[in-house]
Amino acid sequence: MDEPIRTGPPVVTLRNSWSRPYDGAIAAARTCYSPRVIGPDEITAGQRDSIGPLTFEGGHHTVYQHAHFEFGLENVSRQFVWTFLHAHPFYNSEQSSQRFVRLDEVAAYVPASLSDPARAVYEDALRSAWESYRALSALLKEDTHRILAEIRHLTPNAAEKRRRKVAREAEKKAIEIARYVIPVAAFTSMVHTLSGIVLHRLHRMMRTGDAPTEASAVVTAMVDHVRALDPDFFDKVGQGPLSAAEVIETRWPEVRADGDAQATRLDAQLGDRTSLLVDWTARGPETTAEAVRAVLGATPETLPDAEALSRVLDPSYNRYRLETLNLNVHSPLSRALYHASYTFLKRLSHTADSQDQRHRMVPGSRPLMTLTDTRRPDFVLPPLVAANPRAREIYEAAMAQAWQAKERLREMDVPLESALYVLPNAKALRFHETGSLLYLAHKWVMRTCFNAQEEIYRASMDELDQLRAVHPALARHMGPPCVLRAGRITPTCTEGEHFCGVPVWRHFPAVERRI
């Protein structure tokens, strides 16, 4: 008997919100022309009709940013979250993690438009992927336990409590890697908060990206909740969604290249790199040093370049860098790091990029999968899988089956938007990403830690290696929290009981990550 698949429409709940978002926006607008703060209770019907449209249509949108809406989202796919919900900087999400939550049931988005034969192909692909996930989870647990036991110095005489802890950690590491075979159709759940103006923008743009059908359903439900709370917030202002014909990314099909050839071309540029530095601020060190002097009122004679850069980068001087709260954007001194920026060409799996894009101040131009689709399997192979012949056999078979299912669905005239959902988390994505040194430094603190997702860790180490080559003066004092904190503040590691077990700070960057 076929294993049941849990699917269904998105479940959207409004958990928290402003009680009167539209009147609040009008009151904020009136405050700009008043010697005092105007309250929502002072707003009249005439002001709702006049000030609201006037501010919105004139582009004065900050007044609609005060109200925030906290949604609960369930039965939404990883593909939708990646291509639409997290593809911009202006949101906050706390999402169920496939790295730490075992996927016991087959739960995924199934397009309602599929014919019965196409649905059978689609659902068979889901079941097959979950079978591979379970097989890999069990198989890789032996490898992860062996490596962790060595790192944790787990002896036969170790206490039972310690042995259980290592066993739990090994299971999490195993499912973290096994999740690469799970389809991007897999359901996730999250708490998602955004401002009123961002919700207006999402409403306008809900037919963009690779999952317009699913995005339209989710955003419509979000807007309906806000309309029920305060009809004026959407009825008196806003333009409504763009039609499919107005989405500019899909209006010129003649620009589409062969996806396989495009992947080969970009991979040739990358070579052995996960992340390749392709552009940077040529005078980054000199401009940063001059910015430090401008902040501090210094001159080149009183504060030479090397000393200026030490003041802003060395945690012994700039102790904001030791704070876990990430205070640097609030520091007049640290903001000197805005002026050097770097662009990287990257190749990450769909699942790794779903984490990478959460660094919203290091934005990227992600590919449209519907325009860069490859006919051949195109995926990232985790090192632990590559090192285990049986695991690699299962993994590569899962990749082949996923692409075969996608191609079979295309042969059945299923739109590519729907067919792409059966592709795995391992699907390779190539894109450019740019950030200032201020935001990249924070990202490197978080992602050169051994507890970071492995692909993003390796990309970050690539990036630091290349920064050392072009701007060695700016590459000093870059690394994970333990490297910055060692000898300066305690504790050295900020991860508590999740300490990786390796004293990375002793030899960074000459360190080996085994898992």
Side-chain angles (χ1 to χ4, degrees):
M1 180 178 179
D2 287 335
E3 181 177 3
I5 294 175
R6 181 174 68 78
T7 190
V11 177
V12 179
T13 55
L14 182 58
R15 290 161 47 98
N16 285 295
S17 67
W18 265 234
S19 59
R20 297 168 62 187
Y22 188 68
D23 283 356
I26 306 306
R30 280 193 56 197
T31 298
C32 294
Y33 299 92
S34 170
R36 63 181 180 84
V37 174
I38 304 298
D41 292 338
E42 300 177 67
I43 302 307
T44 67
Q47 290 166 350
R48 293 186 189 101
D49 291 337
S50 61
I51 296 177
L54 180 66
T55 54
F56 197 97
E57 292 165 15
H60 307 294
H61 294 148
T62 55
V63 298
Y64 298 95
Q65 194 171 341
H66 296 289
H68 277 67
F69 305 98
E70 181 189 280
F71 293 99
L73 303 181
E74 299 172 273
N75 287 11
V76 295
S77 76
R78 296 274 169 171
Q79 173 76 334
F80 157 69
V81 173
W82 170 80
T83 190
F84 186 81
L85 210 58
H86 287 174
H88 66 95
F90 309 112
Y91 67 89
N92 187 43
S93 280
E94 310 305 329
Q95 181 179 359
S96 176
S97 173
Q98 289 181 342
R99 293 180 68 192
F100 309 122
V101 179
R102 190 174 63 245
L103 306 178
D104 290 324
E105 65 172 341
V106 184
Y109 176 78
V110 178
S113 61
L114 295 178
S115 65
D116 288 343
R119 186 182 181 100
V121 171
Y122 188 102
E123 292 187 345
D124 282 347
L126 298 183
R127 294 187 184 97
S128 177
W130 252 267
E131 289 176 5
S132 299
Y133 169 77
R134 290 163 183 153
L136 283 171
S137 296
L139 185 61
L140 292 172
K141 188 176 177 180
E142 297 179 13
D143 292 344
T144 57
H145 189 275
R146 172 178 48 79
I147 295 170
L148 287 169
E150 293 173 5
I151 292 173
R152 303 292 188 190
H153 305 290
L154 193 67
T155 65
N157 297 325
E160 182 61 25
K161 181 179 179 181
R162 189 153 175 262
R163 299 173 71 84
R164 287 198 303 268
K165 182 179 179 180
V166 172
R168 287 194 300 270
E169 188 179 359
E171 181 180 15
K172 287 181 180 179
K173 288 293 186 182
I175 65 172
E176 176 180 347
I177 299 164
R179 84 189 193 282
Y180 275 69
V181 302
I182 290 290
V184 298
F187 277 157
T188 188
S189 56
M190 65 176 65
V191 175
H192 188 73
T193 301
L194 65 173
S195 73
I197 191 59
V198 171
L199 185 55
H200 267 284
R201 291 170 183 157
L202 295 188
H203 192 218
R204 182 77 169 149
M205 297 289 284
M206 68 186 192
R207 293 189 175 96
T208 60
D210 284 321
T213 303
E214 189 181 358
S216 296
V218 176
V219 174
T220 297
M222 295 165 78
V223 169
D224 287 347
H225 277 296
V226 174
R227 274 203 171 105
L229 172 76
D230 184 354
D232 288 348
F233 199 78
F234 276 91
D235 292 347
K236 288 192 179 295
V237 294
Q239 298 171 288
L242 293 168
S243 69
E246 293 176 298
V247 175
I248 64 170
E249 290 87 352
T250 56
R251 290 177 66 178
W252 304 296
E254 66 272 12
V255 305
R256 302 182 194 181
D258 175 78
D260 295 85
Q262 174 80 332
T264 299
R265 182 179 70 85
L266 294 177
D267 284 349
Q269 292 182 41
L270 281 162
D272 294 333
R273 296 281 192 189
T274 300
S275 185
L276 177 69
L277 181 62
V278 295
D279 199 8
W280 59 92
T281 304
R283 298 187 70 256
E286 293 83 359
T287 299
T288 301
E290 185 63 19
V292 169
R293 286 191 287 266
V295 170
L296 300 180
T299 66
E301 291 73 28
T302 61
L303 195 66
D305 282 6
E307 187 177 347
L309 294 180
S310 290
R311 291 284 184 94
V312 70
L313 291 169
D314 188 340
S316 297
Y317 293 110
N318 184 359
R319 296 186 73 83
Y320 295 134
R321 298 200 67 207
L322 303 177
E323 299 263 357
T324 59
L325 193 56
N326 189 18
L327 302 175
N328 291 298
V329 295
H330 304 281
S331 160
L333 174 64
S334 298
R335 288 194 290 261
L337 299 177
Y338 274 132
H339 307 296
S341 65
Y342 302 85
T343 297
F344 297 93
L345 170 63
K346 309 181 77 163
R347 180 180 185 267
L348 293 176
S349 69
H350 193 292
T351 191
D353 190 43
S354 293
Q355 180 68 50
D356 187 60
Q357 69 180 176
R358 298 298 303 279
H359 288 274
R360 288 163 280 167
M361 303 313 294
V362 185
S365 52
R366 268 76 186 181
L368 281 165
M369 289 173 62
T370 45
L371 300 184
T372 57
D373 178 49
T374 62
R375 305 295 297 271
R376 60 175 173 80
D378 177 32
F379 57 88
V380 170
L381 179 66
L384 203 64
V385 173
N388 184 316
R390 177 57 183 152
R392 182 166 186 162
E393 181 183 358
I394 294 171
Y395 189 92
E396 291 183 341
M399 298 298 108
Q401 290 166 359
W403 260 267
Q404 288 168 6
K406 186 260 295 181
E407 291 298 313
R408 177 69 183 120
L409 290 168
R410 295 293 285 139
E411 292 168 2
M412 301 171 78
D413 293 323
V414 171
L416 186 55
E417 170 195 347
S418 297
L420 288 172
Y421 278 100
V422 302
L423 291 184
N425 281 331
K427 163 65 184 168
L429 304 168
R430 300 160 185 85
F431 58 95
H432 290 80
E433 191 173 76
T434 298
S436 71
L437 186 60
L438 181 70
Y439 293 119
L440 283 167
H442 171 65
K443 182 179 182 180
W444 293 328
V445 165
M446 302 300 293
R447 303 305 171 189
T448 56
C449 171
F450 275 17
N451 285 342
Q453 204 273 357
E454 185 177 39
E455 280 184 74
I456 305 175
Y457 166 82
R458 298 198 183 284
S460 297
M461 294 295 281
D462 266 355
E463 290 159 10
L464 281 179
D465 181 56
Q466 293 166 92
L467 178 64
R468 290 185 201 99
V470 297
H471 289 160
L474 296 180
R476 297 191 184 98
H477 310 293
M478 295 292 173
C482 64
V483 169
L484 300 186
R485 296 168 67 90
R488 297 185 176 100
I489 193 171
T490 58
T492 299
C493 174
T494 57
E495 292 289 322
E497 65 177 17
H498 299 298
F499 170 49
C500 68
V502 180
V504 172
W505 60 91
R506 294 178 182 171
H507 305 291
F508 188 86
V511 291
E512 178 189 9
R513 175 169 168 169
R514 300 180 58 196
I515 190 169

